[in-house]
Structures are given as structure tokens and as C-alpha cells.
Amino acid sequence: MLIRLATKRDSDPIWTIIGPTIRAGETYALDRDLSRADALAYWMGDDRETFVAEEDGLILGTYYIRANQAGGGRHVCNCGYMTHAAASGKGVARRMHEHSLAHAGASGFRAMQFNFVISSNERAVCLWKRLGFQVVGTLPEAFLHPSKGYVDALVMFRSL
Amino acid sequence: MLIRLATKRDSDPIWTIIGPTIRAGETYALDRDLSRADALAYWMGDDRETFVAEEDGLILGTYYIRANQAGGGRHVCNCGYMTHAAASGKGVARRMHEHSLAHAGASGFRAMQFNFVISSNERAVCLWKRLGFQVVGTLPEAFLHPSKGYVDALVMFRSL
């Protein structure tokens, strides 16, 4: 699996990954009806670096990394990861995460923060915990899940 | 004290309030060298409502309110408040905060969240606690204070 910087030519495969996740509205606090253009502008914005995980010419996943805050908060990064539904369970998220940790360290970031991990997304919460993240905050009923109703969101953090 | 929606004509007095706070870099995670135009674009952005606190024709403070997240997180609001240095200690922040709570409730928000309260900003932390906020998260050394070095940032939250 090759993890490399995304280019404009990756827009189509990236949209096939992030589109269904955004439309489902279960794991990211993004408007479910976000247009393709707005979704790609968000995921591949100028304020972040966007990577893709590629295997045999297929894009299996994508992630971004950015400074989580400006000014005095610029030394903590934030990432978002999404895996193609058809590639779920193959360790793509884990591989992207390992890549992001190494890239964050090389970029001079001192810590990584996830601002809004939906507590019902147990798979993600378990993965981040296994990979050294701690829940440093719980936002009570901060996310309206389309089928589960109001659920907590977690703030997760790890030093690099 | 009148608290009203800000207009473009308030740009000058708003800049005299937010400019020094941004330049000081002690209480907000914003780039200290942010230009006047970028600072006003941030503070008065299309994604938020911006208010000013006015007394005897003078603008003593300003605050914004916005949804803290999109999609399933849209029911929690986020605010930022700044008081003119010359009006410090007159209860302007408190008055703006009370206004923001009422406005948030009327706008249908269910909770208010501060994402990044600098722990060394004890005056703000105390005020928010007195006004019903709880520290729901601590981000270790997430802010580089210009004179104190790395300090924690707090996530504060209250239901409405």
C-alpha cells in the first residue's frame, strides 16, 4: 500500500470515499447534503495536506492533516481519515494513521488531537485508544446521530 | 448598555478591540500578525452573527455566535467575546455572555461550547464557571503562551 499526497486528479476516487460517509452522517459533523465541490474543497483545502492510500492502482482511503488551531495552538495537529467501504477491515485506517503520526512528527507537530469523535463510532474509538490516544474530553449529547439520536462526542489527544 | 448586531460601520471600533487582543496572543489561538482585514473577516464572518456592546455611543465589547460544528453537531453553538481594554472590569463580558445565552436559546441551540479556553486566562475560566460552564476536557500543553510557555487549554460546555 502506497500512501502519497493527493492531487486534483484524485478528486473522483476521493469523492467515492468521502461522499457516502458524508451522506450517511453517522461519523463526521458535516452537512449530509454537502455538494461534491464543497466536500472536496473541505477535504483538500489549502489549510491542510491530503493523502491517499493506493494499492494496485485503487484508492482505498484518504486522510488530511492540518494545524488544529492557529497562533499559539499551531503545534497540535488534527487529522481526518476515511476508508472506502469496499476496503473496510483491511487495516487501511491503521496504515493511514501510522503514516499521519510519522508525518506529523516530521512536520514538527508536538501532539495530535481529534476534536469530535462520535462515541457511537466504536470502531474508531477503539482504534484510537489502541494507538495511544486518550479521551481528554466528553461533549455531552453534542452529536445528533441519524438513527441513535443524541450521542456524546469525544475529544481525543496524544502527544507525539 | 445596548447589545446589538454589528454592521460593517462597526469595523473600526471592533478592530480597536480585537486588534490588541490578537497582537498580544495570550488568550486566543489566532495568528498574532493577522491583518486587520483577515481579523475582521474572521470575527464578522458569514458563518456567524456578530454583536457589539455599546454605551454612550462607544463600543465597549464585541462577541460572535456560530454553530460549533456542521451536520449532526449543529445544535451546539460556540461564542467568542472580547472587551475593550479601557472597559475592563465593568461587567461587559458578563453582559455580552448573558445576551449570548439568551440569543442562543432563542436560536434553538441546545448547548454552548468553548473549544479552547487558555488555562492561564484565569479571569475567563472563573467567569465561565460562575456562569454554569463545566470543564469537560483538558488539552495538555495545547497552547504556547508568549510569556508562560506551554499551558493547557480547556474545553468548556454548558447545556441551555
Side-chain angles (χ1 to χ4, degrees), chain A residues 28-32 69-76 110 113 115-116 136-144 150 155 157, chain B residues 28-32 69-76 110 113 115-116 136-144 150 155 157:
Chain A
Y28 276 77
L30 295 170
D31 289 328
R32 295 175 70 179
Q69 299 282 348
R74 204 172 267 292
H75 59 286
V76 179
R110 294 167 54 100
Q113 179 177 331
N115 301 307
F116 208 78
V136 296
T138 298
L139 310 168
E141 301 192 346
F143 185 73
L144 179 57
Y150 290 103
V155 184
F157 194 95
Chain B
Y28 275 77
L30 295 170
D31 289 328
R32 294 175 69 180
Q69 300 282 348
R74 204 171 268 292
H75 59 286
V76 179
R110 294 167 53 101
Q113 180 177 330
N115 301 305
F116 208 77
V136 296
T138 299
L139 310 169
E141 301 193 346
F143 186 74
L144 180 57
Y150 290 103
V155 184
F157 195 96

Side-chain angles (χ1 to χ4, degrees), chain A residues 6-67:
Chain A
T7 72
K8 290 284 176 205
R9 278 171 300 147
D10 298 311
S11 296
D12 281 340
I14 287 176
W15 172 244
T16 67
I17 295 170
I18 69 175
T21 304
I22 292 169
R23 294 284 176 267
E26 296 180 347
T27 53
Y28 276 77
L30 295 170
D31 289 328
R32 295 175 70 179
D33 59 357
L34 205 61
S35 70
R36 180 185 185 280
D38 286 346
L40 288 169
Y42 168 78
W43 196 261
M44 305 176 77
D46 289 340
D47 63 335
R48 65 198 73 195
E49 290 178 290
T50 307
F51 291 86
V52 289
E54 187 174 29
E55 195 171 62
D56 299 332
L58 290 174
I59 306 295
L60 305 183
T62 177
Y63 86 87
Y64 68 74
I65 179 168
R66 62 177 169 182

Side-chain angles (χ1 to χ4, degrees), chain B residues 18-119:
Chain B
I18 69 175
T21 304
I22 292 169
R23 295 285 177 264
E26 296 181 346
T27 52
Y28 275 77
L30 295 170
D31 289 328
R32 294 175 69 180
D33 59 357
L34 206 60
S35 70
R36 179 185 186 281
D38 287 346
L40 288 169
Y42 168 77
W43 196 261
M44 304 176 76
D46 289 339
D47 64 335
R48 64 197 72 194
E49 290 177 289
T50 306
F51 290 86
V52 289
E54 188 174 29
E55 193 171 62
D56 299 331
L58 290 173
I59 305 294
L60 304 182
T62 176
Y63 86 87
Y64 68 75
I65 180 168
R66 61 177 169 183
N68 196 42
Q69 300 282 348
R74 204 171 268 292
H75 59 286
V76 179
C77 68
N78 166 251
C79 295
Y81 312 82
M82 289 193 196
T83 301
H84 196 292
S88 179
K90 290 185 180 175
V92 180
R94 187 180 185 128
R95 288 289 298 276
M96 290 195 294
H97 180 64
E98 287 165 353
H99 186 276
S100 69
L101 282 179
H103 186 70
S107 303
F109 288 112
R110 294 167 53 101
M112 186 179 287
Q113 180 177 330
F114 302 144
N115 301 305
F116 208 77
V117 181
I118 315 303
S119 59

